[in-house]
Amino acid sequence: MTHQRRYDVLVVGAGILGLAHAYHAFDRGLSVAVIDHADRVAGASVQNFGHVCITAQSGVARDYAQAGREHWLDLSRKAGFWISESGTYCVARHDDEMAVMTEFADRRGSTEAELLPREQILAALPVSGSHVVGGMYLSGDLQVDPREAAPAVARWLEASGVDFFWRTAATGFDPGVVRTSRGELRAGTVFVTVNHDIDRLFPEQAESGGLVRCRLHMLRARMPLTAPLPGPLFTGWSLVRYRGFGDLPTTAALAARLRDEHPDCADLDLHQMYTPQPDGSILLGDTHIRDVSAEPFQSEQGFEVLIREAAALFGIPDVSVIERWQGVYGSAPDSEFLIEEPIDEVHIVTVTTGIGMTTGMGLAKDRIDHVFGRESVPAN
């Protein structure tokens, strides 16, 4: 590598979390470079729902999500990608699901979570009326096109003065130096944001945190709905997944009922949700299977469940699948984030559950502020 410039910040990993670090560092007037082993933005940052799921988070994840909302909106204007302030709809098809939503709305208040009676949820959503008892609307959530948003951020950053080194793998670290497959790069501060591949660079930290890979069944499909889906749609399975619902008194009973009635879905760790795309297609997902290494072979059962459940929810005869894929992201049992400094001025920052799009902007701002101080200099 003939490029000998020293940067204030070097980011390893061009996923949305790495791009968010580059964005916040650049916004302070710092010199920034990003390296990635791929030739473009790939991986979990384009394989997801594009759902910025703010309201269903809790604790520090909720703080990061709420703080990041303004940055998503700001970047959509600067980088020119589609974003929707659509909020999230939740449909209840059983009284215990409505009970969880009611408790959640009581706790959060109507400005975050609005309960909808059966007639109103059916008027809003093109779902079958069979078994629907009501629903909820979470107004603060956002949606982007996952295949467009992160690549657009990368292009805007590169055009604005951030240096990108594509097809360049990090191979080792020392204070102030990152060794790469193309030679050395020097930086005052390094952020390593490579998600599940942390175990290839810092295996001890990954192992101590219990980091593994979580594999997902995902689909993109066209469905003959009676009306367009107005925004991301949650089901009862969503209520047993997100931590914002996790400590409600009624959630455990809902989880037990879903497992008893739908053991095949529970064994797949199903999260039945849907996000409409600008071209009219809908993303369907997902399942969760965890292991240290991602098995390359994907069972058809997961796709069959996604198609069957979608047909039943929307009351349609067929689901026309356009694409199928296996998403992969880092997962850990006891924490949503892995944040460590294994070497002076080298910071590991990883989201260890599937909320990178949701929390990444706020998490990166917090990490940049942690290193450089809370007082920022004028923006570029």
Side-chain angles (χ1 to χ4, degrees):
M1 181 179 290
T2 58
H3 199 101
Q4 296 298 316
R5 179 180 175 186
R6 183 185 185 280
Y7 297 93
D8 296 319
V9 171
L10 176 62
V11 180
V12 181
I16 195 61
L17 183 57
L19 296 173
H21 278 81
Y23 160 66
H24 288 300
F26 180 72
D27 197 49
R28 283 174 165 260
L30 301 173
S31 60
V32 183
V34 179
I35 73 168
D36 196 279
H37 71 277
D39 67 340
R40 62 192 183 282
V41 179
S45 294
V46 297
Q47 296 169 359
N48 61 80
F49 285 105
H51 184 210
V52 183
C53 175
I54 298 166
T55 314
Q57 309 306 324
S58 67
V60 68
R62 183 184 178 200
D63 295 338
Y64 291 150
Q66 291 177 325
R69 190 180 192 275
E70 65 178 280
H71 300 297
W72 270 116
L73 294 170
D74 178 57
L75 273 170
S76 72
R77 293 186 290 266
K78 290 176 175 175
F81 59 85
W82 173 80
I83 195 167
S84 173
E85 298 183 69
S86 60
T88 299
Y89 292 86
C90 313
V91 60
R93 293 176 288 171
H94 196 281
D95 288 341
D96 57 8
E97 297 173 2
M98 199 67 213
V100 173
M101 294 182 193
T102 300
E103 284 191 339
F104 183 78
D106 287 345
R107 177 175 293 186
R108 293 294 183 87
S110 60
T111 57
E112 283 194 64
E114 178 188 359
L115 292 177
L116 302 176
R118 181 178 188 274
E119 295 76 17
Q120 199 168 344
I121 200 75
L122 290 176
L125 301 174
V127 297
S128 168
S130 177
H131 306 299
V132 170
V133 297
M136 178 172 63
Y137 177 62
L138 311 176
S139 60
D141 293 0
L142 304 173
Q143 186 191 354
V144 298
D145 180 343
R147 302 189 190 191
E148 177 196 29
V153 173
R155 289 192 298 270
W156 176 77
L157 286 170
E158 192 163 19
S160 299
V162 173
D163 287 342
F164 278 75
F165 298 92
W166 299 106
R167 301 184 71 184
T168 302
T171 59
F173 302 84
D174 287 309
V177 177
V178 177
R179 296 185 295 280
T180 83
S181 53
R182 297 181 186 270
E184 292 185 348
L185 282 171
R186 299 186 178 276
T189 303
V190 177
F191 294 98
V192 184
T193 63
V194 294
N195 199 251
H196 52 73
D197 285 341
I198 284 293
D199 64 0
R200 297 178 179 175
L201 297 175
F202 295 98
E204 292 182 2
Q205 285 75 17
E207 289 167 3
S208 66
L211 186 70
V212 297
R213 287 166 176 80
C214 183
R215 298 186 289 126
L216 321 174
H217 286 80
M218 295 283 292
L219 294 171
R220 186 164 73 96
R222 294 192 182 276
M223 296 188 282
L225 303 182
T226 57
L229 187 63
L233 176 58
F234 278 173
T235 65
W237 293 96
S238 309
L239 306 178
V240 298
R241 173 155 303 281
Y242 290 103
R243 295 196 179 193
F245 308 109
D247 64 346
L248 298 173
T250 52
T251 302
L254 168 59
R257 196 263 301 172
L258 288 173
R259 171 163 281 283
D260 288 345
E261 293 185 0
H262 307 280
D264 58 336
C265 297
D267 288 344
L268 289 165
D269 195 5
L270 177 68
H271 178 205
Q272 184 189 1
M273 72 165 290
Y274 308 89
T275 57
Q277 300 303 291
D279 67 354
S281 65
I282 297 177
L283 302 186
L284 289 67
D286 52 1
T287 64
H288 303 82
I289 304 166
R290 295 167 180 82
D291 206 345
V292 173
S293 297
E295 178 71 43
F297 308 107
Q298 196 165 17
S299 167
E300 187 66 14
Q301 180 190 8
F303 295 121
E304 290 173 351
V305 165
L306 295 179
I307 293 168
R308 180 192 75 203
E309 295 301 314
L313 175 64
F314 293 104
I316 55 177
D318 65 286
V319 173
S320 299
V321 177
I322 301 170
E323 294 173 324
R324 307 168 187 245
W325 67 95
Q326 177 172 262
V328 181
Y329 64 71
S331 177
D334 300 320
S335 176
E336 295 172 300
F337 308 99
L338 175 61
I339 301 172
E340 294 195 27
E341 187 178 358
I343 300 169
D344 287 347
E345 300 305 324
V346 176
H347 303 265
I348 297 171
V349 188
T350 295
V351 182
T352 54
T353 186
I355 55 173
M357 295 287 280
T358 298
T359 62
M361 290 292 170
L363 169 59
K365 179 66 162 60
D366 180 75
R367 291 295 88 199
I368 293 292
D369 286 349
H370 173 77
V371 172
F372 295 101
R374 300 284 168 182
E375 294 296 324
S376 60
V377 299
N380 288 280

